Amino acid sequence: MLKFMKKTIIILALGSLIFSFTGCTSVEKKRIVRISHSQSQEHPDHLGLLAFEKYVESRLGDKYDVQIFPNELLGPSVKTLELTQTGAIDYVLTSTGNVETFDNIYQIFSLPYLFDSTEAYHAVMEDKKLINGIYESTKASGFQGVTWFDAGTRNFYAKTPIKTPKDLKSKKIRVIQSPVNVRMMQLLGASATPMSFGEVYTAIQQGVIDGAENNELALTNNKHGEVAKNYVYNQHQMVPDILVANVKFLEGLSTEDRKVFDGAAKEATKVERENWDKQVKEAIKKAKGMGVKFRETDIKPFKEKVMPLHKELLSQNKKLKPIYDKIQEVNKKYSVKGGK
Ligand code: GCU
């Protein structure tokens, strides 16, 4: 943590130093807009954010300099969420799992087997009324969601094969730093090990954990496939990433500039989603080349273990019920239409 804080302070300080040395050039007048994320520069998240940058700078390049910091360069997600809350940085793209401890409305997305199909998941995330309500509900905490990015389906991967929940028994599995994820692992009989995304590779390599759970891109973009060769399609979650912004920054924008930033967020999602499926296919191919074995499995035993979490969470967090009910309606609609 200290290492990340130091790195962050150095990067931000260097930025202001350059800023003060540039004197009366046009750079001086530009507002630097800092966006942090955890992925590599090839990942769809980064491509989406580059589209954001291009959208803003092609319209308001004389006023804003959008700077994207990939690879947890400004710190792990939880740290950068704090930086976004205080306004030290302006945006962070992160999993909703990481936002949960800042506002428990985001617990909804950590519920296992919440969505019955990808179609239902996408439809919910594109339901402006429902989603904007969630995005705006965190304003008092200093940040708000502005758009979502697809992050696929989360599945287990480990050094040894996981075919049924029995194979998870007592295994140390990394989870996002979220209480709901920890509880889900308890129900599966595994030993949940919360840690930031950037620590996972070394933790598997050194045997601190036995495995993790994520979409296929983690195997290649983050090289986890080098150290964990068994990936199983148990499909326990579809957890989106959201782009979160500092509220004061957004509210300080003029109406015209705000329109541009809102348009940029929309464009970012479009570009990220256009790249998602393609990159997942490529990742599977590449991971196979790295020696990763992909296995289909019966999801029923996994589902049976974790479904009690739905009732448990809904009774603990009253905010979730209306959102949950709406999601069930959407699930039904898509299952009628032929979803899974
Ligand atoms: C996904 C997601 C990231 C998140 C990561 C994690 O890759 O896109 O935003 O950080 O999972 O498990 O931490």
Side-chain angles (χ1 to χ4, degrees):
M1 184 66 84
L2 211 69
K3 198 178 93 201
F4 283 119
M5 282 179 63
K6 266 195 207 152
K7 225 201 245 173
T8 310
I9 291 165
I10 291 168
I11 289 169
L12 295 179
L14 264 177
S16 29
L17 208 66
I18 292 164
F19 185 73
S20 54
F21 280 144
T22 46
C24 295
T25 65
S26 60
V27 174
E28 191 186 16
K29 291 182 211 119
K30 288 191 192 181
R31 163 72 158 86
I32 295 175
V33 178
R34 294 183 179 88
I35 308 180
S36 171
H37 72 92
S38 321
Q39 309 288 359
S40 78
Q41 282 162 291
E42 289 80 44
H43 194 279
D45 284 6
H46 191 76
L47 303 182
L49 291 172
L50 283 178
F52 181 103
E53 177 181 358
K54 196 169 155 208
Y55 190 97
V56 171
E57 291 182 353
S58 63
R59 287 161 179 83
L60 298 169
D62 53 332
K63 285 169 86 175
Y64 299 97
D65 175 10
V66 177
Q67 297 183 0
I68 304 163
F69 297 87
N71 291 316
E72 296 193 350
L73 211 54
L74 294 184
S77 283
V78 174
K79 188 71 221 158
T80 48
L81 271 162
E82 285 167 12
L83 293 174
T84 310
Q85 254 185 322
T86 60
I89 64 174
D90 306 289
Y91 289 88
V92 57
L93 176 67
T94 185
S95 168
T96 53
N98 290 311
V99 195
E100 229 183 273
T101 47
F102 292 80
D103 196 299
N104 67 6
I105 197 161
Y106 282 99
Q107 287 181 331
I108 190 78
F109 298 112
S110 297
L111 272 180
Y113 301 104
L114 174 67
F115 301 108
D116 287 348
S117 64
T118 308
E119 291 79 5
Y121 163 48
H122 291 169
V124 166
M125 297 313 293
E126 285 296 318
D127 179 337
K128 293 282 174 284
K129 211 167 132 211
L130 180 74
I131 283 301
N132 287 344
I134 298 176
Y135 289 165
E136 284 175 15
S137 69
T138 64
K139 272 183 161 180
S141 316
F143 65 81
Q144 70 177 85
V146 294
T147 193
W148 73 285
F149 280 15
D150 200 353
T153 304
R154 297 180 81 94
N155 299 291
F156 288 108
Y157 54 96
K159 292 199 169 200
T160 52
I162 292 164
K163 293 175 188 160
T164 73
K166 276 196 202 111
D167 300 319
L168 282 167
K169 187 127 188 62
S170 308
K171 287 249 163 65
K172 288 198 208 81
I173 303 291
R174 178 267 175 175
V175 289
I176 292 184
Q177 289 146 300
S178 118
V180 181
N181 276 294
V182 171
R183 180 74 186 122
M184 176 181 72
M185 286 302 163
Q186 282 171 350
L187 290 170
L188 284 165
S191 163
T193 312
M195 64 174 69
S196 76
F197 192 46
E199 291 175 295
V200 179
Y201 180 94
T202 315
I204 303 178
Q205 192 186 36
Q206 297 183 345
V208 175
I209 53 174
D210 299 297
E213 45 78 52
N214 217 314
N215 58 60
E216 296 88 338
L217 294 193
L219 300 170
T220 52
N221 249 272
N222 311 94
K223 303 192 171 63
H224 296 177
E226 284 179 4
V227 287
K229 305 280 184 201
N230 296 279
Y231 192 90
V232 62
Y233 281 106
N234 67 294
Q235 305 172 42
H236 57 277
Q237 284 167 328
M238 292 175 195
V239 182
D241 281 353
I242 55 162
L243 184 62
V244 162
N246 174 267
V247 172
K248 279 201 193 122
F249 168 71
L250 285 183
E251 292 187 346
L253 295 170
S254 67
T255 315
E256 300 80 54
D257 291 6
R258 176 66 188 264
K259 253 192 215 146
V260 172
F261 277 88
D262 287 348
K266 219 170 146 195
E267 179 68 11
T269 296
K270 186 172 154 262
V271 171
E272 193 265 353
R273 290 193 57 198
E274 277 164 9
N275 281 281
W276 185 262
D277 289 346
K278 193 173 75 165
Q279 284 215 16
V280 167
K281 276 193 200 117
E282 285 166 8
I284 294 171
K285 214 166 141 204
K286 196 167 164 199
K288 281 182 180 164
M290 291 159 80
V292 175
K293 261 203 145 18
F294 290 86
R295 287 188 178 80
E296 295 296 332
T297 192
D298 181 7
I299 68 166
K300 237 195 259 151
F302 289 92
K303 214 170 169 178
E304 273 163 15
K305 291 253 180 222
V306 294
M307 282 315 270
L309 189 48
H310 285 215
K311 215 167 152 195
E312 191 179 304
L313 200 65
L314 290 175
S315 71
Q316 278 167 16
N317 182 351
K318 301 289 176 214
K319 279 191 229 174
L320 303 184
K321 182 83 168 85
I323 306 169
Y324 184 84
D325 289 345
K326 177 75 197 159
I327 292 174
Q328 296 315 320
E329 271 174 37
V330 179
N331 275 338
K332 251 191 227 140
K333 188 172 146 198
Y334 283 88
S335 71
V336 171
K337 277 192 180 173
K340 254 192 266 171

